[in-house]
């Protein structure tokens, strides 16, 4: 039976993205009512959310069940990101993803731990064969958790097509109670060329939004001329949760004709980085507000639909236009914004000259900037548009503009450290200065001879920093010489306050033991149920290394029967 099922999976016909998704094929991955803390494709930092975040009643350890028959095709365990994640491929070509798990069903857990001990690594990625870990719909596959980059206990659940593109799980019939209208909190107008203006201004304008009793909105009438774009800040809330989640669809209409659409049904991971060009990145970085631009400029996102003139509205003198914006959630609860535009060409404005620097960046060209011991390599198509960059080096501090312009690719920063002595060279790293106090944060740094190299997808201020401090290692639930016979877990706290933890290794009686690392609590945990520790007297040794190579060793003895 296993062989027949495996052959069926291998021979299943691939499919293209369907317009109608199977409604009864996938069941809920949890045995509790579905209440969401995060919706599909909602706006996150540097990416769209690729699934639904299901609340787990503020606790971990809930049973996670397979949404349909299939086989475990991938398992990935990492300190960050999805943490413990399980991928199940189904006969119809879709794959479901279950992330931020606490642990796995016994058969899967045994399979993983064998490989972790074989590779002597907690972090691991596995691709089981088709017939190794078969699952049936409704069978236990894992337990919910809070691992990886999770901000609280929940289950991240995805459905992907055979091209690995995530699709809104609600399209498959997973029902979420939602009778509430989307909320709209701001509207912006953007003059888009030198001849355009809005309300006698050539810069973007926050418009006065007026809520109506029926849940819709209007905007105070505006006067404009030329090529104009608009932006909106909006969110949705479901019936059983207070979270401010993403919306499902946004459309605009000009004088009754459709002009623009954002359709959040599906996207690919390759394009999700372009979220920073969809939003007004400057406003996001300065005001922490995500304004979605209802027009397209140099953005390849596939979520754009039915664009007329890229969503840009041309307003001529002595004309009138009515703009309507339709914002919908998945249950088609809809909020409308109505805005009247009077075309009025004014006399030429006295515009403030654009700030110019000696460094003009062409978006479609490679550029190298160099001053003193610092060089910056900018690759073609790193930026979406040409602009004047602020570039300055003062001692070891690099000013690389402000973090108000989105990047598609990483910028390469190089420091020549030949002037430093040998001991200092080994402790230096490139840091990004952030926050009000300009705190240095480690940027992944590689050394090639006398050159330090880091890549960054954010502009801002960088400097050379030195880390001479060793990591700290502190036992949490035991003391030297203690009997731990009744203990299930061995817990250790590790920390590094400067460059951060790079790696760790733990042994008992010179034998490697698996320790799970939770960076949020800075905790290493060993499960005695692994059955690796069998002696009465045990010598524990832990070595922790930070990102510049400072290393600490902790040794102690404990006893078990």
């Amino acid at each position: 039976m296993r062989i027949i099922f495996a052959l069926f999976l291998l021979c299943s016909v691939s499919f293209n993205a369907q317009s109608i998704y199977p409604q009864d094929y996938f069941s809920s991955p949890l045995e509790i009512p579905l209440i969401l803390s995060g919706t599909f494709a909602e706006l996150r930092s540097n990416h769209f959310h690729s699934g639904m975040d299901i609340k787990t009643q503020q606790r971990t350890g809930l049973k996670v069940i397979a949404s349909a028959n299939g086989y475990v095709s991938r398992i990935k365990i990492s300190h960050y990101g999805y943490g413990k994640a399980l991928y199940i491929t189904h006969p119809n070509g879709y794959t479901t993803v279950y992330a931020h798990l606490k642990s796995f069903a016994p058969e899967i857990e045994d399979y993983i731990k064998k490989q972790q001990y074989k590779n002597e690594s907690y972090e691991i990625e596995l691709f089981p064969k088709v017939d190794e870990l078969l699952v049936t719909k409704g069978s236990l596959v894992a337990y919910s958790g809070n691992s990886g980059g999770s901000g609280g206990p929940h289950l991240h659940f995805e459905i992907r097509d055979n091209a690995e593109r995530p699709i809104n799980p609600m399209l498959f019939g997973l029902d979420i109670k939602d009778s509430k209208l989307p909320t709209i909190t701001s509207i912006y107008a953007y003059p888009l060329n030198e001849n355009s203006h809005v309300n006698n201004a050539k810069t973007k304008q926050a418009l006065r939004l007026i809520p109506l009793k029926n849940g819709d909105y209007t905007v105070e009438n505006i006067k404009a001329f030329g090529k104009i774009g608009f932006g909106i800040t909006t969110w949705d809330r479901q019936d059983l949760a207070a979270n401010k989640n993403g919306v499902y669809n946004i459309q605009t209409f000009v004088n009754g004709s459709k002009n623009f659409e954002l359709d959040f049904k599906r996207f690919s991971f390759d394009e999700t980085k372009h979220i920073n060009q969809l939003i007004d990145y400057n406003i996001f970085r300065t005001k922490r507000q995500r304004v979605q631009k209802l027009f397209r400029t140099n953005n390849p996102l596939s979520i754009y639909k039915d664009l007329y003139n890229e969503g840009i509205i041309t307003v001529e003198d002595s004309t009138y236009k009515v703009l309507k914006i339709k914002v919908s959630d998945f249950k088609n609860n809809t909020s409308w914004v109505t805005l009247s535009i009077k075309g009025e060409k004014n006399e030429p404005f006295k515009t403030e000259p654009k700030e110019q620097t000696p460094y003009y960046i062409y978006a479609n060209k490679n550029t190298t900037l160099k001053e003193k011991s610092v060089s910056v390599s900018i690759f073609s198509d790193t930026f979406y548009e040409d602009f004047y960059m602020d570039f300055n080096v003062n001692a070891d501090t690099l000013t690389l503009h402000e973090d108000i312009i989105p990047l598609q690719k990483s910028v390469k920063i190089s420091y020549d450290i030949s002037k430093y002595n040998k001991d200092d060279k080994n402790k230096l790293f490139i840091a990004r200065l952030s926050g009000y106090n300009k705190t240095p944060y480690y940027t992944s740094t590689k050394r090639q001879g006398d050159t330090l190299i880091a890549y960054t997808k954010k502009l801002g201020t960088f400097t050379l920093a030195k880390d001479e401090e060793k990591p700290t290692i502190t036992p949490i639930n035991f003391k030297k010489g203690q009997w731990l016979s009744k203990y299930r877990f061995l817990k250790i706290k590790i920390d590094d306050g400067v460059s951060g933890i790079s790696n760790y290794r733990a042994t008992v009686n010179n034998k490697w033991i698996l320790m799970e690392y939770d960076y949020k609590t800075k905790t290493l945990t060993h499960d005695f149920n692994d059955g690796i520790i069998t002696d009465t007297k045990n010598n524990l040794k832990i070595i922790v290394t930070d990102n510049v190579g400072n290393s600490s060793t902790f040794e102690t003895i404990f006893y078990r029967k």
Side-chain angles (χ1 to χ4, degrees):
M1 182 64 185
R2 289 170 63 93
I3 295 175
I4 293 173
F5 184 68
L7 287 173
F8 171 62
L9 291 172
L10 285 172
C11 297
S12 61
V13 178
S14 296
F15 63 95
N16 295 319
Q18 301 171 351
S19 58
I20 299 176
Y21 299 96
Q23 296 300 294
D24 299 319
Y25 194 87
F26 295 108
S27 62
S28 170
L30 293 173
E31 298 174 322
I32 59 172
L34 291 183
I35 302 174
L36 302 186
S37 59
T39 53
F40 181 81
E42 69 183 18
L43 311 182
R44 300 284 179 91
S45 293
N46 302 314
H47 69 285
F48 296 103
H49 188 230
S50 56
M52 55 168 55
D53 285 344
I54 306 172
K55 290 175 177 282
T56 55
Q57 302 173 341
Q58 299 181 330
R59 56 196 176 106
T60 63
L62 274 65
K63 291 181 179 180
V64 177
I65 59 178
S67 283
N69 294 340
Y71 70 97
V72 177
S73 55
R74 182 185 178 196
I75 303 163
K76 187 174 182 180
I77 298 178
S78 56
H79 298 142
Y80 309 101
Y82 282 7
K84 295 183 178 183
L86 188 72
Y87 300 71
I88 299 175
T89 297
H90 306 281
N92 63 356
Y94 291 102
T95 296
T96 51
V97 183
Y98 314 75
H100 304 306
L101 303 170
K102 179 180 181 180
S103 58
F104 302 88
E107 181 184 4
I108 301 172
E109 189 83 14
D110 290 345
Y111 176 90
I112 295 167
K113 286 199 172 183
K114 285 178 182 177
Q115 297 302 316
Q116 287 175 315
Y117 275 98
K118 179 180 178 181
N119 294 303
E120 296 191 354
S121 175
Y122 169 66
E123 291 192 301
I124 198 165
E125 186 171 16
L126 303 170
F127 298 91
K129 296 177 181 178
V130 174
D131 61 349
E132 281 190 282
L133 295 172
L134 296 175
V135 298
T136 57
K137 185 173 184 175
S139 63
L140 175 70
V141 293
Y143 295 91
S144 68
N146 187 32
S147 59
S150 170
H154 73 279
L155 175 68
H156 175 91
F157 177 72
E158 297 179 18
I159 300 179
R160 300 182 183 180
D161 65 16
N162 66 340
E164 283 293 302
R165 293 173 297 191
I167 304 168
N168 191 330
M170 286 188 274
L171 287 166
F172 296 84
L174 296 179
D175 189 43
I176 307 297
K177 292 184 178 180
D178 185 359
S179 61
K180 298 184 178 181
L181 299 176
T183 297
I184 298 165
T185 56
S186 68
I187 298 288
Y188 282 80
Y190 295 77
L192 295 177
N193 61 22
E194 292 296 324
N195 300 318
S196 304
H197 53 82
V198 174
N199 289 341
N200 297 321
K202 296 183 73 66
T203 56
K204 64 187 171 191
Q205 300 294 305
L207 306 178
R208 191 165 79 89
L209 188 67
I210 305 169
L212 303 177
K213 290 182 179 180
N214 66 352
D216 291 336
Y217 302 80
T218 187
V219 175
E220 195 170 52
N221 293 347
I222 68 169
K223 297 176 181 180
F225 178 80
K227 295 186 181 299
I228 309 297
F230 289 88
I232 189 170
T233 306
T234 181
W235 49 267
D236 187 45
R237 180 173 281 162
Q238 285 83 48
D239 287 0
L240 302 176
N243 304 76
K244 296 178 180 180
N245 299 133
V247 300
Y248 181 69
N249 187 276
I250 305 175
Q251 300 178 26
T252 67
F253 302 84
V254 178
N255 289 350
S257 297
K258 191 174 181 181
N259 195 60
F260 177 92
E261 182 177 359
L262 287 173
D263 182 21
F264 295 105
K265 286 187 179 72
R266 184 187 71 188
F267 62 87
S268 70
F269 287 106
D270 288 340
E271 64 178 322
T272 190
K273 62 186 177 183
H274 298 297
I275 187 175
N276 288 332
Q277 182 68 353
L278 167 67
I279 65 173
D280 186 323
Y281 190 73
N282 189 320
I283 291 179
F284 173 61
R285 295 305 304 169
T286 55
K287 298 182 179 180
R288 307 306 297 175
Q289 182 182 8
R290 289 187 174 96
V291 178
Q292 299 178 68
K293 293 183 288 188
L294 305 180
F295 58 96
R296 179 169 68 176
T297 54
N298 304 322
N299 196 335
L301 279 172
S302 65
I303 63 174
Y304 291 110
K305 309 291 182 186
D306 297 336
L307 271 64
Y308 176 76
N309 194 29
E310 300 297 301
I312 297 169
I313 302 170
T314 300
V315 181
E316 298 175 340
D317 192 25
S318 302
T319 62
Y320 290 88
K321 291 185 184 292
V322 175
L323 171 68
K324 285 186 174 288
I325 305 172
K326 178 185 178 183
V327 181
S328 306
D329 61 23
F330 185 81
K331 289 297 186 73
N332 206 31
N333 301 301
T334 300
S335 297
W336 287 86
V337 180
T338 302
L339 188 156
S340 295
I341 308 167
K342 180 183 179 182
E344 186 175 288
K345 184 177 182 180
N346 292 324
E347 294 299 317
F349 289 87
K350 288 184 178 180
T351 58
E352 293 292 330
K354 290 185 177 180
E355 185 177 350
Q356 298 185 4
T357 74
Y359 309 100
Y360 191 73
I361 307 301
Y362 292 94
N364 64 348
K365 294 182 179 180
N366 293 333
T367 304
T368 299
L369 307 176
K370 184 171 176 59
E371 186 175 334
K372 299 175 184 176
S373 62
V374 181
S375 65
V376 176
S377 299
I378 301 169
F379 307 102
S380 175
D381 298 321
T382 293
F383 297 100
Y384 294 92
E385 298 166 358
D386 304 342
F387 71 104
Y388 284 99
M389 174 176 278
D390 182 14
F391 171 75
N392 178 264
V393 177
N394 182 10
D396 285 329
T397 298
L398 163 66
T399 299
L400 193 62
H401 211 76
E402 294 179 77
D403 182 20
I404 56 174
I405 296 176
L407 284 71
Q408 302 186 62
K409 301 177 182 177
S410 294
V411 167
K412 179 183 178 182
I413 299 174
S414 302
Y415 272 82
D416 180 351
I417 59 170
S418 57
K419 66 182 180 182
Y420 288 91
N421 63 48
K422 182 179 179 181
D423 290 339
D424 285 341
K425 289 177 183 177
N426 293 330
K427 305 301 179 184
L428 293 174
F429 64 93
I430 298 173
R432 187 173 187 275
L433 300 179
S434 185
Y436 179 79
N437 295 321
K438 296 295 182 183
T439 303
Y441 289 94
Y442 176 80
T443 299
S444 184
T445 304
K446 303 296 182 184
R447 182 177 169 187
Q448 296 179 359
D450 283 339
T451 302
L452 292 183
I453 298 171
Y455 290 85
T456 178
K457 279 193 174 180
K458 286 185 177 181
L459 301 178
T461 306
F462 300 83
T463 193
L464 281 184
K466 187 194 296 186
D467 182 1
E468 297 180 296
E469 299 180 13
K470 294 183 177 182
T472 59
I473 307 172
T474 309
I476 294 176
N477 65 339
F478 69 97
K479 297 178 181 179
K480 183 178 181 179
Q482 187 172 344
W483 283 87
L484 304 179
S485 303
K486 297 181 179 180
Y487 283 54
R488 166 76 185 270
F489 299 105
L490 186 70
K491 293 180 178 289
I492 305 282
K493 182 177 181 179
I494 62 174
D495 194 13
D496 186 85
V498 185
S499 63
I501 302 296
S502 172
N503 58 72
Y504 61 91
R505 180 179 175 82
T507 59
V508 169
N509 300 333
N510 296 317
K511 183 186 299 183
W512 185 86
I513 61 168
L514 176 65
M515 299 203 83
E516 298 187 7
Y517 176 48
D518 182 351
Y519 77 94
K520 299 188 293 291
T521 60
K522 304 175 182 179
T523 303
L524 293 177
T525 302
H526 174 71
D527 186 348
F528 285 121
N529 283 359
D530 286 358
I532 300 299
I533 300 173
T534 57
D535 295 337
T536 301
K537 182 179 180 181
N538 297 282
N539 296 284
L540 172 66
K541 182 178 182 179
I542 300 175
I543 302 172
V544 181
T545 306
D546 66 20
N547 280 300
V548 300
N550 296 310
S551 182
S552 296
T553 300
F554 171 84
E555 295 187 77
T556 192
I557 296 174
F558 66 87
Y559 298 89
R560 276 179 65 83
K561 283 186 179 179

